[in-house]
Amino acid sequence: MAISRRLVQRFQWSASLRDSRIVLDRTWLCLSAAALAWSDYESRRRSRQSFCETEPGRSSIIKFRVDNDRPGLLSEATEVLKKQHLNIKDARISTADDSRAEHVYIVQDKLSGAGLSEDRLAQAVNQVREALRQLAAGDCRAEPWPRYCSADVAKHTTPEQGIWVSYKDGVYDITKFVANHPGGTDKIMLAAGKAIDPFWRIYQQHTGRGNALELLESMRIGDLSDPPQADDRSSCPFSTDPERHPGLIFHNNKPCNAELPAELMLDAWLTPNPVWFIRHHHPVPIMDHDQYRLVVDGVGTKSVTLSLEDLKSRFLKREVVATLQCGGNRRSELDQIEKTSGIPWGFGAMSTAKWGGVYLREVLQHCAGLSHENVEAFEVKHIIFKGLDSMEASIPVQKALSPYGDVLLAYEMNGESLPKEHGAPVRIIVPGVVGVRNVKWVGKITASQEEAQGPWQRGIAYKGFSPNVKELTGIDIEKIPSMQDLPVQSAIVFPKAGSTVELDDIEVKGFAWSGGGRGIVRVDLSLDDGKTWITADLQDGKDQAYNRAWAWTFWEASVPVPDSLKGKDITILCRAVDSAYSTQPERPEPLWNLRGLNCNCWHRVSIRHQDD
């Protein structure tokens, strides 16, 4: 359930401005998502007959209904409460029945760390009532923190009832969040009315990085009276994952998401297997290669089942050198403008390998009978790949069947058997296309009139939105095209940001790449913010076939330091031009999107020149 906290904040801020009902304290703007959840809870709570249990939970509630709200009041009232030996767990602004602003404080006893007893709660309210009234006209009251049981949670599975989940000992109203879930509405709705603990044991990125826990806590509406027992299992689903090279830059371990470090990127044109970037959505499947079977079926085909040995013995082995890049590569640069949703990749979410295997088109046409005539007759538009890890994605049938598309069923990587980490025994390689379409551990291939289901194809995960789109209410996400080919890209790998150089000629090295097989025509460098440019020398990768340049191109240049910049801070810029004469945009701001995809603006590295 990880999502950009700022996305939710901005959504709630915009909603409050439109309604003109809630005056938000900017100091506590980060809690605005919880305010709407709390408002929903209040209306439902008044209609309920009773809770499963009514005794106080781990927290208590103090409400301060004010006649005229003002900026800063929430913070000032919080300080008053702290003087009563209370821990303030949360502070929210809601709207009361009479449209007055209602400040809601979730408090605990500072000594016990638990909710207040009935007497202690009444005492606290009496002590702070007059102090609060000195801050603003209004009235103050207190309540025990609500407690629900699992049966209560199970009744809330629709937007009309409210969509509730539980996690450990908490109950959460996620109704307003569901549409913005990065994994898609369908996936999060599997947990509606249930505990999300089992789901998060699989998707451990929720607890391993980002602000998912913090965001979830902002939607808490009560305690769970019958929380699930602690998991006694001796192993987690990721316990059989392979060991990883310690040189990788890890963003997650469960599932593993790690990028190729800049220090190793230019050592070899083909990235060594152990330091290849890793992008997983689930645990690495355990597969007996002898038992592996690939099913090929769908409209316009005859269903066939192939073993690994069938692929190796019945088809000619083909080799393709291709770079794979995650759609979120360089996302961290967009995060500097405004937080997006996803892994904060640097520029290392890409790598290159020589893949060995079988052309997909030969399997589809000569084995499964998917001729061009059948494509037309049966209106086949997509080829769907389903991984043994439940990953599902698709590509257009034109790419799959093109004699120049070089789509591969790969069982080798850099001259070795495909590693378990990277999709063994068989994975799909779709050169020139966003990394997510290169499905690992592929178990089924289907010809279809429609694209794949799931969040990685039809959900928001790999779809680009305008910079002005901050939330997805009212947007038909399935009508937004899914990412396929990627735009031209380049980055400076050496020198590193923050380094100091002494020579009057700066040695600059990096890589460039473009999707769709478009080769790199040139790479330009500038030291004066784009006023003048120097063209770099293209190195490894420059001689790839026209419009089948699937791999990156290395480049380097010796850039003279102008006298005006000697002894000063210098920002080096680079931009690439591909064979379509498309070039990288100058700034990241027009590229910003809530998923942080396709960041390919000019790459910038700031260094210091030391003048002797």
Side-chain angles (χ1 to χ4, degrees), residues 127-161:
Q127 290 174 338
V128 302
R129 181 177 283 116
E130 290 305 318
L132 291 175
R133 285 176 176 171
Q134 292 179 14
L135 297 177
D139 57 84
C140 180
R141 71 181 193 277
E143 300 176 0
W145 184 243
R147 287 173 65 86
Y148 304 93
C149 64
S150 297
D152 283 321
V153 178
K155 296 175 183 177
H156 293 79
T157 59
T158 67
E160 294 75 24
Q161 299 166 322

Side-chain angles (χ1 to χ4, degrees), residues 124-299:
V125 171
N126 289 333
Q127 290 174 338
V128 302
R129 181 177 283 116
E130 290 305 318
L132 291 175
R133 285 176 176 171
Q134 292 179 14
L135 297 177
D139 57 84
C140 180
R141 71 181 193 277
E143 300 176 0
W145 184 243
R147 287 173 65 86
Y148 304 93
C149 64
S150 297
D152 283 321
V153 178
K155 296 175 183 177
H156 293 79
T157 59
T158 67
E160 294 75 24
Q161 299 166 322
I163 301 168
W164 292 11
V165 298
S166 66
Y167 178 64
K168 295 185 177 179
D169 64 348
V171 176
Y172 306 87
D173 185 337
I174 63 170
T175 309
K176 300 291 185 180
F177 171 73
V178 167
N180 294 318
H181 181 235
T185 299
D186 291 343
K187 190 173 289 290
I188 195 173
M189 285 301 292
L190 292 174
K194 304 171 187 174
I196 62 173
D197 306 60
F199 296 91
W200 280 20
R201 280 196 291 270
I202 297 295
Y203 298 99
Q204 294 190 21
Q205 61 265 43
H206 291 92
T207 55
R209 66 167 172 85
N211 62 347
L213 280 171
E214 192 174 0
L215 177 60
L216 180 68
E217 194 62 27
S218 74
M219 294 181 277
R220 187 163 183 150
I221 58 171
D223 291 345
L224 188 65
S225 62
D226 53 346
Q229 296 296 315
D231 187 17
D232 293 329
R233 292 177 300 176
S234 58
S235 63
C236 78
F238 297 90
S239 61
T240 59
D241 276 14
E243 292 186 13
R244 276 108 188 190
H245 194 286
L248 290 165
I249 301 172
F250 290 90
H251 295 279
N252 301 87
N253 284 305
K254 301 176 182 180
C256 184
N257 293 289
E259 63 181 282
L260 171 63
E263 293 83 355
L264 303 179
M265 185 170 279
L266 300 181
D267 285 353
W269 189 56
L270 299 180
T271 311
N273 293 354
V275 293
W276 237 80
F277 95 97
I278 301 170
R279 176 67 173 106
H280 293 338
H281 299 88
H282 304 98
V284 175
I286 300 174
M287 172 54 58
D288 182 342
H289 289 201
D290 293 334
Q291 299 300 316
Y292 171 77
R293 296 295 182 270
L294 173 66
V295 176
V296 184
D297 64 8
V299 294

Side-chain angles (χ1 to χ4, degrees), residues 499-504 506 527 561-570 607-612:
S499 60
T500 299
V501 297
E502 298 179 354
L503 300 178
D504 289 342
I506 304 174
L527 300 185
V561 179
D563 290 340
S564 61
L565 294 178
K566 289 180 179 179
K568 297 180 180 180
D569 292 333
I570 298 174
I607 62 171
R608 178 74 180 178
H609 181 259
Q610 184 171 306
D611 190 9
D612 293 333

